[in-house]
Amino acid sequence: LVVSGASVSGLALGPLVPLLLDAYGWRGALLLLAAISFNLVAAGALLRPLPVPGESPVPPRDRPEPVRLLRHGPFLRYALAFVLVDAGYYVPFVHGA
């Protein structure tokens, strides 16, 4: 369920990219695809560790929250997996046309 969005977007981007290229050129098409991808920042901001039972609900204030997140092993593995998937997944859609 977590990565099903990649399959749905893959089906949508196949016919969408040539239409964007015809309508806006390659620069405009890449700009629109970047704007669509930038909306994932809000979804990425929701990825944070869940509280552990028995731990105090208030995080310690010695470091800001993003710094603590960058030291969380499961989050780093999850983020690295998506970086590697995205590095090769969208290339055929963008450069195939």
Side-chain angles (χ1 to χ4, degrees), residues 13-22 26 29 90-97:
L13 286 179
L16 180 66
V17 170
L19 292 173
L20 290 175
L21 287 171
D22 290 339
W26 68 272
Y90 291 107
V91 172
F93 297 121
V94 174
H95 299 288

Side-chain angles (χ1 to χ4, degrees), residues 2-83:
V2 172
V3 294
S4 64
S7 301
V8 173
S9 66
L11 289 173
L13 286 179
L16 180 66
V17 170
L19 292 173
L20 290 175
L21 287 171
D22 290 339
Y24 300 105
W26 68 272
R27 288 182 180 160
L30 285 178
L31 186 62
L32 286 171
L33 290 173
I36 292 169
S37 297
F38 186 67
N39 287 316
L40 296 175
V41 171
L46 297 174
L47 296 174
R48 60 186 183 276
L50 295 175
V52 177
E55 187 178 297
S56 84
V58 178
R61 293 291 174 197
D62 57 346
R63 282 182 259 142
E65 187 68 28
V67 174
R68 289 184 55 223
L69 189 60
L70 291 175
R71 298 180 137 235
H72 190 251
F75 174 77
L76 290 175
R77 287 189 294 272
Y78 184 77
L80 178 64
F82 272 98
V83 166

